[in-house]
Amino acid sequence: MIHNDWGNSIYPLVPGHELVGVVTEVGSKVEKFNVGDKVGVGYMVDSCRSCENCDDNIENYCPQLTVTCGAKYRDGTVTYGGYSDSMVADEHFVILIPDNLPLDVAGPLLCAGVTVYSPLRNFGIDKPGMNIGVVGLGGLGHMAVKFAKAFGANVTVISTSPSKEKEAIEHLGADSFLISRDPDQMQAAMGTLHGIIDTVSASHPVLPLIGLLKTNGKLVMVGGVSKPLELPASSLLGGRKLIAGSLIGGIKETQEMIDFAAEHNVKPEIEIVPIDYVNTAMERLAKADVKYRFVIDIGNSLKESA
């Protein structure tokens, strides 16, 4: 959005869509929150509240969804994101952070966490003992590994980088590692996975991934690949396989995810930085030089500058 890669950015733009903090004031009609509560705001701050998707608690698919930064409310007001010292939000789109979940690790869960939690739940690939693949080991991928393990799955990380194997297994708890560029490894793993969460946003072949699925297996894409996929229908017909997409999650589901994460100690790997480090952080992010999420400590940054 900073570089207008999607063509819809509104300037001046204040980024930030995984926001956490403490309530300092509530409106007269607020019922869900009190001053002093630990809360967060994720990818969205408004929706129409009246369509079928909103009624079904999947506001993330509302045609009038308003995202947290660089968008416009229905009245034309521009949304400014979380690189700020305060924020006003409708209580419907605010998430209560459990007391035992630190704010710094809660932030990335509000987008990265629910982005992988939602497809695992909604496509039924969250059952103990299932074999689940995770494509890519970045900000989304490492969370997919952690949530799938918390559900009791056997997790295989699928990556083009052999150097990530030790990290995936010894640090993140994956059960196995598959190098997608190794034809022998891919052949040996054919038909072994109940589901795959594909977190890669760069263009990549999906046909080999479909081959890894069991009958009735599901490949769910959560990375925003911009180029069209090469997908022969025959790859899905033989084995009644499914390829689908998923975008974040609704507010009810996001609260469910946060509560689950707190109960099962699912936390993202983070690096905390001050606000004046943000340009360097962006440069490192472009080089994939972070494990796995930068978290900006705005409160302490402002205290130091004062």
Side-chain angles (χ1 to χ4, degrees):
M1 294 190 73
I2 293 172
H3 296 290
N4 198 26
D5 289 340
W6 293 333
N8 58 0
S9 297
I10 300 172
Y11 299 105
L13 186 143
V14 181
H17 65 275
E18 297 173 322
L19 329 175
V20 289
V22 177
V23 176
T24 58
E25 186 177 352
V26 296
S28 61
K29 297 182 180 180
V30 170
E31 299 178 348
K32 294 167 58 179
F33 300 98
N34 299 296
V35 172
D37 285 346
K38 293 165 52 178
V39 297
V41 175
Y43 184 74
M44 54 189 164
V45 290
D46 197 15
S47 66
C48 76
R49 321 287 183 91
S50 59
C51 69
E52 183 177 358
N53 287 337
C54 287
D55 289 342
D56 289 341
N57 296 309
I58 47 175
E59 304 92 338
N60 47 314
Y61 299 120
C62 172
Q64 297 185 48
L65 172 71
T66 302
V67 299
T68 306
C69 66
K72 288 185 178 181
Y73 286 104
R74 283 169 285 167
D75 65 1
T77 306
V78 175
T79 61
Y80 295 110
Y83 292 12
S84 54
D85 60 348
S86 65
M87 181 180 188
V88 179
D90 188 299
E91 67 172 340
H92 179 80
F93 294 91
V94 178
I95 305 299
L96 183 65
I97 307 298
D99 289 337
N100 65 327
L101 192 64
L103 286 177
D104 54 4
V105 295
L109 291 172
L110 296 171
C111 184
V114 74
T115 293
V116 297
Y117 178 93
S118 180
L120 286 166
R121 283 292 203 203
N122 284 291
F123 289 97
I125 47 178
D126 60 343
K127 307 298 186 293
M130 279 189 162
N131 298 326
I132 303 300
V134 175
V135 184
L137 195 62
L140 293 176
H142 91 288
M143 291 309 310
V145 172
K146 291 194 173 194
F147 274 113
K149 288 299 295 181
F151 289 139
N154 301 309
V155 179
T156 298
V157 170
I158 305 164
S159 174
T160 59
S161 305
S163 60
K164 293 185 177 181
E165 180 172 2
K166 183 177 180 180
E167 170 79 4
I169 295 176
E170 296 185 8
H171 184 62
L172 298 177
D175 298 282
S176 57
F177 189 88
L178 190 58
I179 301 172
S180 57
R181 291 175 176 169
D182 186 321
D184 292 334
Q185 288 191 21
M186 294 292 285
Q187 181 63 37
M190 292 278 284
T192 61
L193 301 177
H194 295 93
I196 297 173
I197 301 295
D198 188 342
T199 70
V200 176
S201 57
S203 180
H204 62 285
V206 297
L207 190 58
L209 301 176
I210 292 171
L212 300 176
L213 293 172
K214 291 175 173 285
T215 299
N216 294 318
K218 300 163 185 175
L219 168 63
V220 187
M221 305 192 73
V222 298
V225 179
S226 58
K227 293 184 179 180
L229 303 177
E230 292 186 14
L231 186 64
S234 58
S235 64
L236 303 177
L237 302 179
R240 201 162 54 192
K241 298 173 183 180
L242 172 71
I243 182 168
S246 181
L247 175 70
I248 54 172
I251 297 299
K252 181 179 180 181
E253 188 171 44
T254 302
Q255 186 66 64
E256 175 189 300
M257 176 276 305
I258 281 283
D259 294 339
F260 180 92
E263 180 181 353
H264 295 273
N265 197 34
V266 178
K267 299 175 182 177
E269 306 291 316
I270 64 171
E271 181 179 337
I272 301 175
V273 299
I275 189 64
D276 59 8
Y277 187 80
V278 66
N279 287 338
T280 301
M282 289 293 184
E283 293 170 1
R284 288 180 53 194
L285 190 63
K287 301 174 184 176
D289 179 25
V290 57
K291 290 183 179 178
Y292 285 95
R293 269 293 204 262
F294 284 118
V295 173
I296 303 172
D297 186 350
I298 291 179
N300 283 326
S301 297
L302 293 174
K303 289 179 183 178
E304 292 170 2
S305 63

